[in-house]
Amino acid sequence: MNPSTHYDVLIVGAGVTGTALLYELAKFTDLGRLCLVEKYDDVATVNSHAHSNSQTIHCGDIETNYTLEKARSVKRTAYMVINYATKLPAEERDRIIQRMPKMVLGVGAEECRYIRERHARFKGLFPRMELLEREAIAELEPNVARVEGRWRAEEIVATGTADEYCAVDFQALAQSFSDACARLDRNSGKQITQLFSTKVESIRKEGGDYVLRTNRGLLQARAVVVCAGGHSLLMAQEMGLGLEYSCLPVAGSFYFAPEALNGKVYTVQNPNLPFAAVHGDHDVKERGKTRFGPTALMLPMLERYNRSSIREFFKVQRFDHDVAAVVWDLMKVPDIRNYVLRNFLYEVPWLNRQLFVREIRKIVPALQASEISYAEGFGGIRPQLIDKRARKLRMGEAKISDGGGIIFNMTPSPGGTSCLGAGEGDMRAIAEYLGARIDERAFEQELLMGHEDTRDHEDPATEALATAV
């Protein structure tokens, strides 16, 4: 083993989660030899790419599937992204995050009642969030409140903010983390290596270290973190870990319409459906277009538009009677069964527009099928996990570890928004395992303070640190 290939920590996957962790380890710990490997030739080419997600910073205020406690946790991680980006030069900041209106819309008496009750419960956590009656909605999103100049027929109310950082290009964010690490490599005295076009073929534990076989030779590290979506589960299972899980990949597709919204409009989620409700987004990359979606289609692949990942899916799917029982239980729920059927039809040319426009009209009632188009090449895959022991679909984030120095990350929730929050957890776990030191003051000043102060002021240690600063 060549000593130049031996690292303190090696990260697999250069999406926004992997690059965020590399940045946090490089900036806030005293670990001196770090490496990131990526099988593609650039950062964020899969699910973190702007085409593969809804470009949303999920704070928990307009996501109706979040409990108050979940929203509190999500808010902290979301503002870590905003605090980081708003400290950058304006040109770089504006490539990463954008301000625009955002709201969750209630349509009809039942949903409107729910929105009013939810606003009362959540306004303490989100003091800038307003209750928006139809006149206020019309000021922010006239195409939502009016049809040909007249008020829409249904009762509507929303809760949201008129001007907030809520849109993000996760690919640009990942590139910013990568660029910052390249500067630290040049100027800090640390070795921070980023290897692209480097595919990890296997991982094994050898003594106290981990050895990775790649298409460019062997790499060795004291600790490893894998941030590779569904491939994280594949790599874990090849090491005999995470065998209690199977994978249910859910693909999301989108539709484009002419510029119909000024910001983001979410809808109330059906509690019987484990997938996101349709929303409309002012696209940050495709100028002059509004993107609607996502649909949710179960596809047998770990990466959208990558046929070679079909074979890899069947390796991690590990179909047996426990997996069949979970799928059967899901399909027994009428709302889920009908939802799955509709989403298959949303992929059928011509018919898809006729059907999906009915979903969109809940947000923009005047839209016609002829005005929307299927967004070819847009949409990613989220590998939802099936817990075979518990016989249930496991929503949100999952981590697998050997109890030592290797961590496998899957399905971070809520997506790229959690990149720095998930990275913090991994940073702390790795630092404890390796006996490394974390610069808590620098971490707080950069990621927990700035645009929004998300420090826990009830923690005496945090208060003492704030006083010292």
Side-chain angles (χ1 to χ4, degrees), residues 131-146:
L131 187 67
L132 306 169
E133 301 293 347
R134 66 177 187 176
E135 292 81 4
I137 295 172
E139 288 183 13
L140 298 177
E141 299 289 0
N143 291 327
V144 172
R146 297 180 183 273

Side-chain angles (χ1 to χ4, degrees), residues 165-229:
Y165 286 114
C166 61
V168 59
D169 182 342
F170 288 111
Q171 185 179 33
L173 178 60
Q175 188 65 61
S176 177
F177 292 143
S178 177
D179 291 345
C181 289
R183 290 192 294 270
L184 287 168
D185 176 62
R186 292 192 300 268
N187 303 321
S188 69
K190 295 184 176 184
Q191 180 183 345
I192 306 167
T193 304
Q194 300 181 64
L195 301 176
F196 295 94
S197 302
T198 304
K199 183 176 182 180
V200 175
E201 296 167 350
S202 68
I203 306 174
R204 70 177 188 272
K205 192 163 187 179
E206 190 173 282
D209 288 348
Y210 298 88
V211 177
L212 288 76
R213 183 166 58 88
T214 78
N215 60 322
R216 296 174 59 168
L218 297 179
L219 302 172
Q220 186 172 344
R222 298 163 61 202
V224 174
V225 183
V226 182
C227 305

Side-chain angles (χ1 to χ4, degrees), residues 194-418:
Q194 300 181 64
L195 301 176
F196 295 94
S197 302
T198 304
K199 183 176 182 180
V200 175
E201 296 167 350
S202 68
I203 306 174
R204 70 177 188 272
K205 192 163 187 179
E206 190 173 282
D209 288 348
Y210 298 88
V211 177
L212 288 76
R213 183 166 58 88
T214 78
N215 60 322
R216 296 174 59 168
L218 297 179
L219 302 172
Q220 186 172 344
R222 298 163 61 202
V224 174
V225 183
V226 182
C227 305
H231 289 90
S232 293
L233 180 58
L234 177 62
M235 293 181 193
Q237 291 183 343
E238 287 174 344
M239 292 187 68
L241 303 170
L243 299 177
E244 69 273 23
Y245 294 118
S246 179
C247 183
L248 184 68
V250 179
S253 296
F254 294 92
Y255 290 77
F256 279 128
E259 195 163 13
L261 297 175
N262 296 316
K264 294 180 174 289
V265 180
Y266 276 55
T267 54
V268 176
Q269 180 149 332
N270 182 338
N272 289 329
L273 295 175
F275 310 113
V278 169
H279 47 84
D281 301 273
H282 178 84
D283 200 284
V284 301
K285 299 289 281 187
E286 300 294 317
R287 297 300 183 185
K289 293 183 179 180
T290 295
R291 202 196 309 182
F292 291 93
T295 63
L297 181 68
M298 285 168 270
L299 291 180
M301 49 178 42
L302 297 184
E303 288 182 23
R304 192 79 182 268
Y305 313 114
N306 181 356
R307 291 176 182 266
S308 68
S309 70
I310 295 175
R311 179 176 57 86
E312 295 166 327
F313 158 73
F314 284 106
K315 288 184 179 180
V316 300
Q317 212 258 341
R318 300 171 58 82
F319 189 83
D320 58 17
H321 66 281
D322 291 324
V323 175
V326 172
V327 175
W328 177 249
D329 286 343
L330 288 172
M331 297 304 291
K332 284 193 297 186
V333 179
D335 282 354
I336 294 179
R337 188 169 62 247
N338 295 336
Y339 181 80
V340 169
L341 175 60
R342 285 200 313 273
N343 279 268
F344 272 113
L345 296 177
Y346 291 155
E347 301 293 321
V348 178
W350 185 83
L351 182 61
N352 54 5
R353 291 188 295 113
Q354 308 300 317
L355 295 174
F356 197 69
V357 75
R358 300 176 188 176
E359 300 271 1
I360 298 174
R361 283 178 184 152
K362 185 173 184 178
I363 300 172
V364 181
L367 270 179
Q368 302 297 314
S370 59
E371 296 178 276
I372 68 171
S373 60
Y374 184 82
E376 293 285 351
F378 284 70
I381 281 186
R382 173 167 289 194
Q384 302 292 163
L385 293 187
I386 292 175
D387 187 328
K388 296 165 71 171
R389 292 176 182 170
R391 288 196 171 189
K392 66 179 183 180
L393 190 66
R394 180 168 176 169
M395 306 302 293
E397 181 180 6
K399 290 181 184 288
I400 297 171
S401 176
D402 65 351
I406 192 165
I407 300 170
F408 299 89
N409 288 314
M410 277 90 52
T411 61
S413 178
T417 299
S418 67

Side-chain angles (χ1 to χ4, degrees), residues 8-9 21-34 184 188 190 192 423-424 426-432 434-440 442-443:
D8 294 319
V9 185
L21 174 58
L22 182 69
Y23 174 76
E24 288 173 299
L25 289 170
K27 187 73 178 287
F28 305 120
T29 77
D30 59 355
L31 294 167
R33 294 174 64 83
L34 307 172
L184 287 168
S188 69
K190 295 184 176 184
I192 306 167
E424 178 191 0
D426 291 341
M427 175 184 70
R428 295 188 182 284
I430 292 297
E432 181 178 0
L434 297 179
R437 185 182 66 84
I438 297 172
D439 187 338
E440 298 288 357
F443 178 83

